[in-house]
Amino acid sequence: MKKTYNNIRGTLDFNPAEAFSFQKVISAAEKIFQRFGYQEIILPLLEERELFIKGVGTGTDIVDRQMFKIEGKDIVLRPEGTAQVVRYYLQNSLQKRGDFHKFFYTGAMFRGERPQKGRLRQFHHLGAEAIGSDSFYVDAEMIDLSLKILEAVGVKEKELVLNSLGCKDDKDNFSRRLKADLTKHKNKLCDDCRNRLEKNPLRVLDCKKGCRSDYIKQAGGHFIDLCLKCKQDFKNLTALLGDLGIKPKTDFCLVRGLDYYTKTVFEITSSQLGAQDAIGAGGRYDNLIEDLGGPRVPAVGFALGIERILLVLGKALETKKIDVFVAVGEEELFEAGFKILTDLRKKTFSADCDYNQKSLKSQLRTAQRLGARFTVIVASDEYQRGCVALKDMDKSTQQEVKIEDLASQIIDLK
Ligand SMILES: [Zn+2]
Ligand SMILES: [Zn+2]
């Protein structure tokens, strides 16, 4: 028996229709990023492991369980983009070249844990980071930007969930209070949460096993733990979002699975994905740059999951269509047909032919399958007169055209 191979569990192949949808999402997003003044950066898939330990934090699922390690090295396949963009920012001392920078990126991210249902080991993010301002206007811009992208790609049903974690002091205070409160109810927590309580109490609010909902009833979230400035900023942000026509649902227990967030955190969910899954998320990270060895520079960002967007959009059916298919009536004319094909491509039409020299009927079937807008049929009678038949596949009409006029005829008919 010959052995054949399958893709690795937790990875996806994109067929032409899926790849077409994938690229449509990216190009729609790129237009919006440009409209909002974000510039693209392309960063490597590999980074130092420590970057994420310091950046994302121990006690988070990503660092404790999900990092995709390269065997025997302190290198990982990147699990997320923000810590990496900060690494790039600091490595290039961008703080010395202007006090505000805006970037976007698209690309693969990785998780090393054993893949469960719906969880991928390789997935793709579209993300943006705005580094250098603590203005809540930037938070509003980020949220608006992420929703605009989802609108542009056709995600209709979505909800924005919003919270403020407060500044570092607020987070520390809340963390302490949470630990004290929850220690009293330790027996009600799941095993994971008992562990989280020691290492990283805020994570309990992230529990997928219901420890969180019990806590909400007891403590009413942690808005009460915010300092005046953080409370005011959150109110201002909510009002500003209202002016932009955005109505968030406030969830004072939304913490997100990463340690670097401070103040604003948000999630965009869709009922089409089920209760637990977000299409995207983001927030402010005013201490991350300092934590990664830089100066104190506030920043905010978000990322959207491309596979999740595609899941919401539904099954991809469309593929990229070609302009012209060149068919030949007789085998001897293949060389002439190939010349016409080459010439059309030179004139920037997308064009193709059938290299297996099948019957005309079967070539026309291929033209249909490729979604060709026009088919050029090269047959000996007409070819001797310097002509070919040009078939408009949409209108099912056909006409004789001089080979030298072919390109301009196609442009006219289009
Ligand atoms: Zn505060
Ligand atoms: Zn739990």
Side-chain angles (χ1 to χ4, degrees), residues 166-170 225-231 263:
C167 52
K168 194 168 181 306
D169 285 349
D170 299 343
D225 296 272
L226 300 187
C227 69
L228 271 178
K229 163 100 172 94
C230 288
K231 267 186 186 153
K263 297 182 87 168

Side-chain angles (χ1 to χ4, degrees), residues 188-194 196 204 207-212:
K188 285 190 197 150
L189 299 179
C190 70
D191 289 347
D192 280 345
C193 281
R194 263 176 240 158
R196 287 180 185 124
V204 176
C207 179
K208 307 282 188 270
K209 289 176 190 151
C211 301
R212 165 190 148 127

Side-chain angles (χ1 to χ4, degrees), residues 160-171:
L160 172 70
V161 187
L162 186 68
N163 188 21
S164 174
L165 296 173
C167 52
K168 194 168 181 306
D169 285 349
D170 299 343
K171 264 178 91 177

Side-chain angles (χ1 to χ4, degrees), residues 37 63 108 125 134 149 178 182 219 240 248 259 328 342 373 376 413:
V63 166
H125 271 173
D134 62 4
I149 290 173
L178 194 61
L182 287 177
L240 180 55
D259 266 2
V328 292
T342 311
R373 175 72 176 79
V376 169
L413 288 171

